[in-house]
Amino acid sequence: MASGNVILNEIEAPLIAKKAKPGQFVILKAGERGERIPLTMAEADPERGTITVIYKVVGKSTELFKNLREGDSYQDAVGPLGQPTHLERVGNVTCVGGGTGVAVLYPITRGLKGAGNRVISIIGARTADRIILEEEMKSVSDELFVCTDDGSRGHHGFVTEILKKVLEEETLNLAVAVGPVLMMKLVSEMTRPYDVKTIVSLNPIMIDGTGMCGGCRVLVDGENKFACVDGPEFDGHKVDFDQLIQRLGAYESEERESSMAHRCRLDR
Amino acid sequence: MAEKEDVTEKWARIGMPEQEPDKRRENFEEVPLGYTPEMAVKEASRCLQCKSPSCVEGCPVEIDIPAFVQLIKEEKFDEAIKKIWEKNRLPAVCGRVCPQETQCEGRCVLGKKGRPIAIGNLERFAADLARREGIEDVSPKAEPSGKRVAIVGSGPAGLTVAADLLARGHQVTIFEALHKPGGVLVYGIPEFRLPKKIVADEIESLEKQGAEIMCNTVVGRTITIDELFDQGYDAIFVGVGAGLPRFMNIPGENLVGILSANEYLTRANLMKAYRFPEYDTPIPRGRNVVVIGAGNVAMDSARTAVRLGAETVRIVYRRSREEMPARAAEIHHAEEEGVELLLLTSPIRFLGDEEGRVAGMECIKMELGEPDASGRRRPIPIEGSEFEIVCDLVIIAIGTGANPLLTRSTEGLELNRWGYIEADPETGETSIEGVWAGGDIVTGSATVIEAMGAGRRAARSIHEHLTREGRSPESCGV
Ligand SMILES: Cc1cc2nc3c(=O)[nH]c(=O)nc-3n(C[C@H](O)[C@H](O)[C@H](O)COP(=O)(O)OP(=O)(O)OC[C@H]3O[C@@H](n4cnc5c(N)ncnc54)[C@H](O)[C@@H]3O)c2cc1C
Ligand code: SF4
């Protein structure tokens, strides 16, 4: 499945597939010279021995991943990394996803539904063709709302607008938000006054994913945490999102340079 | 007259040619260039061939130093390397990175009157020559024992255990979390101090001898210790190193442009970011770089920053020159390359710009007081001496701690209060039957050769255990 610049890859990785739980991530590397890219898994099938990742093409590495054809392989795949989502019965839950974050949200939603919760899901994207996993999300939710920025499908507007209504109408026991950092920040701010515990899944810059580089440190409740070993999920009411946004932009100019160099090579 | 010349000759150590500082600032190639055979023979001729040599006691793996030095003197270079291999599997590595001045060379009697024998240089010479000429370690191998050992971590400790157990006829599989084996030798120590080709060749030779290496496997996550036993491994060695970076915990430390030395060096070495964009991983290139800390890791970071084009590179250290833990040679190399030392100085907070990037650092001057628990004089802040420095890249190299990933997920594994594994110093046995440990995960950050020594002792103990078990199979209670 690839719509626009959203890519799905099913990867053969039997050891990882056997162990993977919702919320955990893998690190992929495309070639000898490639970067190590952390991606949270959308699906793990222990029988087939495969894992699935869904991501948006944003830089050179994801561009390289995109160009892999069926049968090609990633040079390296390591995982499952990070802590799995704590899936338990708490009552009423809302699962909020934006963009490709829905891929990560889906197994969590399924798990929460499976644990016996009533699940209200809200997913959004810029346009209708960027909405992913709508059917799947529907099948594991008691209610599903779809939003698009341009109104081409579902509610015309942001997921937070629907969330506001849900918060007013329902007594929620848990919220889970996965998507762009800004979305997770807004969701967390919105649930705070209602005192609804909110879990967010972060994807800071990291190299090894095992606690060795410290690049993925995030400030949670004033304390440094390593997203790779302590996360990737944290209490959204305690995360310093502004700092996270700044840290995610650390290599912006290099990324542009790398993508440019890559395109030039392709053009030749 | 002739006699007098002889005497001076004895005390004059043959230095190793090096790349000029101005030139090497611009490249990542190795700095010391190696001895020629003539230089090696001349240096070896200075050895007094002591009857009870104290240099051997100084070497953690007890290489028969006088014997191999004598063989070099006699120009029997291939025999010299074989002599070294009897005790040390990685001489091309150790000859380069061992702190010889506190080990073998520190004990050499010539050092009392003049300069000790350049044991490290000679070891490197013999190893490099063997590599060039394709001389291989063909020590006779024991009959296959049918036993399988899992080794977790492919740093010097794990590699040594693998080599020793292979030689004793056991099958070994090394599990490594990263995509490339070698531990600190590949991700930490830079190319200009230890060419990665050397490490790769050593690992290839282990594979040729039958070692299986499984990269991308995080034990504790991808597979657990218990599952390894379930898969039929008869023993497990844990050599996962001390890879958890420490931070200062002062304000502003999460600003963009402040990295742990682990991250900085891993980007540069393992990911080859110094060749960005040819390689995909970026590395921040600072104009005014500050490195906090004064060990080998700090020197490696500072010298990497020089090569990446920094205008100024400053080492900030809260004690004085005498207390700097880095090897004297590395401090010397760094200073030659233009690295400045800002001693008796401690950072108190980092200052950022409006985009959240580091722009400066506030420091305070220190003075040395009474000795502390480590025996070094304790640095005390001088009130009112605060000052600011401008910097756009900060690398924190103040040490590492025990990585809890494996230890936390392994029930019954006893740890000390710093989170390192409790292991018998003689055998490496841990609190779990059938599990051994060694290297930095037991001692905390130490040296390559100490990790190798621990690996050697553990391999001996594992071998004894496996052969004992062989006699009474009912006793394998794992
Ligand atoms: C920058 C730097 C410079 C140094 N310079 C010197 C020097 O000049 N001289 C010197 O003697 N010493 C030096 N040292 C110290 C020396 O490198 C270490 O003491 C030595 O490498 C320790 O070896 P080890 O085998 O215990 O662990 P490491 O070399 O740390 O190797 C451990 C390996 O285990 C892997 N691992 C970790 N967790 C897991 C897991 N859960 N599953 C699977 N694999 C795992 C790691 O990825 C790593 O590859 C330096 C260290 C650094 C960082
Ligand atoms: S291994 Fe290290 S300590 Fe031993 S002789 Fe060689 S350089 Fe010296």
Side-chain angles (χ1 to χ4, degrees):
Chain A
M1 178 199 75
S3 112
N5 54 358
V6 174
I7 309 292
L8 176 148
N9 281 164
E10 190 178 2
I11 304 158
E12 224 181 280
L15 279 180
I16 305 176
K18 211 167 91 191
K19 276 288 164 63
K21 299 218 173 66
Q24 290 188 301
F25 67 97
V26 285
I27 288 188
L28 301 175
K29 180 166 167 287
E32 180 57 33
R33 298 179 173 193
E35 242 181 308
R36 293 170 63 98
I37 304 288
L39 289 169
T40 309
M41 285 173 276
E43 184 81 76
D45 186 336
E47 253 109 75
R48 285 164 55 94
T50 58
I51 55 168
T52 302
V53 290
I54 299 178
Y55 52 86
K56 200 162 100 190
V57 175
V58 283
K60 174 179 171 197
S61 294
T62 40
E63 179 123 2
L64 282 174
F65 290 179
K66 170 178 139 183
N67 292 329
L68 289 172
R69 303 260 165 270
E70 194 159 345
D72 287 358
S73 60
Y74 284 91
Q75 181 150 355
D76 301 281
V78 57
L81 300 167
Q83 303 294 338
T85 314
H86 204 66
L87 298 171
E88 58 177 354
R89 183 171 176 171
V90 291
N92 288 339
V93 176
T94 183
C95 294
V96 187
T100 50
V102 177
V104 175
L105 187 69
Y106 168 57
I108 299 173
T109 311
R110 192 179 49 196
L112 285 168
K113 175 79 188 150
N117 294 292
R118 193 170 96 81
V119 180
I120 304 164
S121 298
I122 311 165
I123 61 173
R126 225 176 304 157
T127 56
D129 61 346
R130 297 197 177 187
I131 293 283
I132 59 169
L133 300 177
E134 183 178 337
E135 280 311 307
E136 287 85 345
M137 282 299 290
K138 201 167 173 182
S139 70
V140 296
S141 309
D142 293 279
E143 263 183 90
L144 174 75
F145 297 94
V146 177
C147 319
T148 49
D149 297 0
D150 66 350
S152 52
R153 180 156 182 77
H155 170 76
H156 184 171
F158 298 127
V159 288
T160 40
E161 292 160 11
I162 301 283
L163 175 65
K164 193 161 178 56
K165 268 212 240 123
V166 173
L167 281 164
E168 278 160 8
E169 290 164 11
E170 306 261 351
T171 314
L172 292 174
N173 306 91
L174 178 72
V176 181
V178 190
V181 184
L182 196 59
M183 183 209 91
M184 294 192 281
K185 178 184 169 182
L186 293 176
V187 167
S188 303
E189 275 169 11
M190 193 165 267
T191 56
R192 194 195 305 271
Y194 294 88
D195 212 13
V196 176
K197 183 175 174 182
T198 302
I199 301 294
V200 293
S201 176
L202 309 183
N203 57 342
I205 294 173
M206 62 176 80
I207 303 179
D208 57 297
T210 63
M212 191 261 279
C213 76
C216 67
R217 60 196 194 274
V218 284
L219 212 53
V220 180
D221 211 9
E223 205 186 311
N224 257 336
K225 295 276 180 199
F226 286 6
C228 65
V229 288
D230 304 320
E233 292 176 5
F234 293 103
D235 182 340
H237 294 157
K238 296 184 176 160
V239 170
D240 185 335
F241 285 104
D242 295 338
Q243 186 185 77
L244 177 66
I245 291 170
Q246 284 175 339
R247 291 183 62 80
L248 278 167
Y251 295 100
E252 250 162 23
S253 63
E254 283 89 349
E255 271 155 25
R256 267 197 304 277
E257 186 188 342
S258 179
S259 284
M260 290 284 275
H262 177 60
R263 295 240 167 76
C264 294
R265 279 206 293 276
L266 285 182
D267 288 347
R268 251 187 264 139
Chain B
M1 187 65 201
E3 245 202 305
K4 209 170 175 191
E5 249 178 41
D6 242 345
V7 171
T8 38
E9 190 97 306
K10 271 269 182 261
W11 310 136
R13 165 167 157 143
I14 307 287
M16 190 177 271
E18 291 181 345
Q19 265 201 78
E20 289 300 322
D22 272 350
K23 199 168 135 224
R24 68 189 199 233
R25 282 175 61 97
E26 318 266 309
N27 67 52
F28 276 80
E29 279 147 43
E30 206 178 359
V31 170
L33 301 170
Y35 276 161
T36 60
E38 295 72 39
M39 288 170 159
V41 169
K42 202 163 172 202
E43 179 63 20
S45 310
R46 295 171 57 224
C47 179
L48 301 176
Q49 293 294 316
C50 305
K51 282 283 159 294
S52 49
S54 40
C55 53
V56 179
E57 289 164 22
C59 171
V61 295
E62 297 173 5
I63 295 179
D64 189 345
I65 296 165
F68 98 76
V69 171
Q70 180 66 22
L71 287 165
I72 290 183
K73 179 178 163 187
E74 293 166 12
E75 297 185 40
K76 296 176 183 157
F77 301 139
D78 51 342
E79 285 181 45
I81 190 63
K82 283 175 188 155
K83 188 47 83 190
I84 298 172
W85 277 334
E86 284 173 14
K87 298 285 182 173
N88 185 345
R89 275 285 322 159
L90 305 171
V93 174
C94 294
R96 288 174 165 81
V97 305
C98 266
Q100 288 100 6
E101 63 281 5
T102 60
Q103 296 183 164
C104 48
E105 293 180 19
R107 310 283 184 95
C108 175
V109 292
L110 285 180
K112 291 189 184 125
K113 291 238 174 86
R115 306 276 321 274
I117 296 282
I119 300 168
N121 288 356
L122 290 172
E123 185 179 8
R124 169 182 165 164
F125 164 78
D128 286 359
L129 189 108
R131 285 166 44 77
R132 265 201 311 277
E133 313 231 309
I135 304 170
E136 278 188 38
D137 187 5
V138 282
S139 43
K141 248 172 90 185
E143 284 291 304
S145 68
K147 299 285 182 188
R148 293 165 70 215
V149 180
I151 295 167
V152 187
S154 63
L159 295 178
T160 307
V161 174
D164 284 9
L165 290 177
L166 280 172
R168 289 174 165 114
H170 309 299
Q171 234 176 298
V172 302
T173 308
I174 304 178
F175 297 92
E176 168 56 49
L178 293 171
H179 59 270
K180 226 185 230 159
V184 170
L185 306 182
V186 296
Y187 81 69
I189 304 180
E191 181 75 19
F192 54 83
R193 219 149 61 76
L194 177 64
K196 298 303 150 241
K197 178 81 170 69
I198 292 176
V199 186
D201 287 350
E202 291 293 350
I203 287 163
E204 201 191 306
S205 124
L206 264 185
E207 283 181 300
K208 268 200 221 142
Q209 292 168 55
E212 193 189 348
I213 304 184
M214 305 269 292
C215 286
N216 297 319
T217 313
V218 185
V219 176
R221 286 271 200 267
T222 318
I223 193 163
T224 63
I225 295 280
D226 283 343
E227 286 166 328
L228 288 174
F229 280 129
D230 291 344
Q231 290 191 1
Y233 286 98
D234 300 289
I236 298 172
F237 175 82
V238 177
V240 293
L244 190 80
R246 276 205 204 108
F247 288 93
M248 312 266 312
N249 297 319
I250 58 174
E253 201 166 15
N254 285 4
L255 288 164
V256 172
I258 304 180
L259 284 74
S260 74
N262 269 4
E263 177 177 357
Y264 187 65
L265 292 171
T266 302
R267 282 179 184 274
N269 303 324
L270 180 72
M271 306 311 293
K272 298 248 183 310
Y274 66 88
R275 288 166 66 181
F276 180 88
E278 190 191 332
Y279 281 71
D280 297 343
T281 306
I283 190 162
R285 291 175 186 246
R287 188 168 288 173
N288 298 297
V289 181
V290 165
V291 177
I292 300 169
N296 286 328
V297 182
M299 298 304 139
D300 285 346
S301 305
R303 297 175 66 197
T304 298
V306 166
R307 284 160 176 76
L308 287 172
E311 280 164 25
T312 67
V313 179
R314 276 173 286 191
I315 298 251
V316 171
Y317 181 50
R318 61 201 180 112
R319 302 181 200 246
S320 71
R321 189 183 276 268
E322 279 87 83
E323 288 86 15
M324 289 174 75
R327 299 184 60 189
E330 299 312 328
I331 301 172
H332 173 71
H333 277 144
E335 287 193 287
E336 270 187 342
E337 289 163 13
V339 173
E340 296 163 49
L341 304 182
L342 213 56
L343 301 169
L344 290 166
T345 302
S346 188
I348 43 184
R349 70 190 175 106
F350 299 103
L351 312 164
D353 64 14
E354 57 287 349
E355 281 167 31
R357 292 181 180 263
V358 67
M361 189 167 93
E362 189 179 332
C363 299
I364 188 161
K365 282 272 163 211
M366 311 291 274
E367 61 189 352
L368 292 180
E370 294 300 308
D372 63 11
S374 72
R376 297 178 300 180
R377 294 176 63 194
R378 186 196 305 274
I380 307 166
I382 303 173
E383 230 175 281
S385 68
E386 292 86 352
F387 65 102
E388 276 176 24
I389 56 180
V390 173
C391 55
D392 54 359
L393 177 62
V394 176
I395 296 147
I396 306 207
I398 56 167
T400 52
N403 190 324
L405 212 154
L406 177 138
T407 51
R408 236 197 248 159
S409 67
T410 308
E411 235 172 89
L413 190 62
E414 238 172 74
L415 309 177
N416 67 18
R417 66 183 160 119
W418 297 281
Y420 295 110
I421 300 176
E422 288 276 11
D424 184 315
E426 291 305 315
T427 63
E429 285 169 298
T430 68
S431 57
I432 302 180
E433 157 120 44
V435 178
W436 281 255
D440 283 3
I441 190 57
V442 171
T443 55
S445 307
T447 60
V448 171
I449 192 67
E450 276 169 86
M452 291 177 62
R456 165 138 297 172
R457 290 190 297 277
R460 200 178 294 147
S461 168
I462 292 171
H463 175 69
E464 277 167 17
H465 174 80
L466 293 177
T467 43
R468 207 170 37 233
E469 247 182 21
R471 267 185 267 125
S472 55
E474 67 278 7
S475 73
C476 37
V478 269

